[in-house]
Amino acid sequence: MRKFVFVVFCMSFMMLFVGTGCTDKKATSTEPVSVDSMLVDSLGTDSMEALIEDEPMPKAADELFDDFIFNYAANRRLQTDRTDYPVSVDTYGKLSRVEKSKWGMEHFFMRQGYYTLIFNNAKQLDVVKDTAIGNVYVERISFAKKQVKRWLFNRVLGLWKMQGVKIMPLAKHEDAAFLKFYNRFVTDSTYRSFAIAESVVFSGPDPEDDFSRMTGELMAEQVPMFLPWMPSGTLYNIHYGDQPYKPSNTRIFVVRGIANGIESEFTFQKISGAWMLTKLNT
């Protein structure tokens, strides 16, 4: 009965909800688009960068990598101080070193306006708050180039430092199979329609009350109307800890905005050997 009531409620407010974003109520398309056509809040991002660059990084920012990486990506002086030179670069197995004078400022996801996180289970969602984590890498996943570039960060004597770069084929990524699925899911609408479970658990903002949320289940045919924007083309993904991606039948794909507070969480599960969207949290 709960499912039927939710369906009726959804249809009553469908037009209103589809016309708003997940958390900031901005207009959004129901069709995933490429990153190049995403409307990023560049003013907010630029202002954030200027604010960070003008202020010294608080000592407490070294406790959580999230706090550190925003400073590292926006503050040229800090990036210089917290990079081990010469930088060791592994390019498809060929090692080289980049001297300080040749190293360019890397803004990572700051100009893109969002970054992603990929987890094997719900328990891993708390790893971003773990102050004991000492190894993190930020990776740029390019589907067009079929390439992954990783910046390796380690905490040394309590301070985060970038200590190496690795460039490799996308096919060599530990989670290459899921990434291949994800890329097709967001770029092929026909394929996507077959990769949505018959019933999808949904949680999102209440269109009648900005301070409330609504939960329930969506039928597969309703999901495209509620599906928020999903990035494609190039992903900047953060992986916490030195544990590789483990074989698992679950993937939680998180899209986290930088200056706009948007966050969307997509849960995929393998059903009969195929990845399916089973839960949506916006």
Side-chain angles (χ1 to χ4, degrees), residues 8-19:
V8 173
F9 179 84
C10 289
M11 296 306 295
S12 299
F13 291 97
M14 189 71 72
M15 296 305 295
L16 175 61
F17 190 82
V18 171

Side-chain angles (χ1 to χ4, degrees), residues 154-264:
N154 295 297
R155 202 200 303 262
V156 181
L157 298 177
L159 304 178
W160 283 106
K161 291 190 175 183
M162 200 285 287
Q163 296 193 307
V165 176
K166 183 175 183 178
I167 303 172
M168 62 184 184
L170 179 56
K172 295 292 184 180
H173 193 285
E174 298 87 345
D175 212 21
F178 173 76
L179 291 172
K180 180 180 180 181
F181 157 77
Y182 173 81
N183 184 47
R184 191 174 180 187
F185 183 88
V186 296
T187 58
D188 186 337
S189 59
T190 301
Y191 177 79
R192 183 167 59 251
S193 66
F194 291 103
I196 298 174
E198 292 183 4
S199 178
V200 175
V201 177
F202 174 78
S203 178
D206 187 335
E208 282 197 318
D209 185 351
D210 290 338
F211 300 99
S212 298
R213 295 180 63 80
M214 48 194 283
T215 59
E217 293 183 350
L218 296 172
M219 294 183 293
E221 57 268 29
Q222 290 178 301
V223 172
M225 304 178 192
F226 289 84
L227 199 65
W229 178 86
M230 300 179 74
S232 64
T234 300
L235 306 180
Y236 275 93
N237 186 63
I238 300 180
H239 183 83
Y240 295 83
D242 54 6
Q243 294 183 352
Y245 292 95
K246 296 180 179 179
S248 169
N249 290 328
T250 301
R251 288 293 184 275
I252 301 176
F253 187 88
V254 179
V255 181
R256 186 168 290 175
I258 295 175
N260 51 22
I262 290 178
E263 179 163 324
S264 302

Side-chain angles (χ1 to χ4, degrees), residues 57 60-73 108-109 115 117 127-139 151-155 159-162 237-241:
M57 187 181 80
D62 270 308
E63 300 229 350
L64 293 175
F65 183 79
D66 269 17
D67 295 336
F68 165 77
I69 191 61
F70 289 127
N71 285 274
Y72 183 88
F108 300 100
F109 43 75
Y115 62 95
L117 303 158
V127 72
V128 298
K129 302 174 184 177
D130 188 352
T131 57
I133 290 292
N135 310 89
V136 176
Y137 58 76
V138 178
E139 56 185 358
W151 292 264
L152 313 176
F153 292 86
N154 295 297
R155 202 200 303 262
L159 304 178
W160 283 106
K161 291 190 175 183
M162 200 285 287
N237 186 63
I238 300 180
H239 183 83
Y240 295 83

Side-chain angles (χ1 to χ4, degrees), residues 16-27:
L16 175 61
F17 190 82
V18 171
T20 61
C22 303
T23 56
D24 65 347
K25 305 297 182 183
K26 292 180 181 178

Side-chain angles (χ1 to χ4, degrees), residues 133-147:
I133 290 292
N135 310 89
V136 176
Y137 58 76
V138 178
E139 56 185 358
R140 184 178 66 206
I141 301 170
S142 173
F143 291 109
K145 295 181 179 179
K146 297 181 179 180
Q147 182 189 84

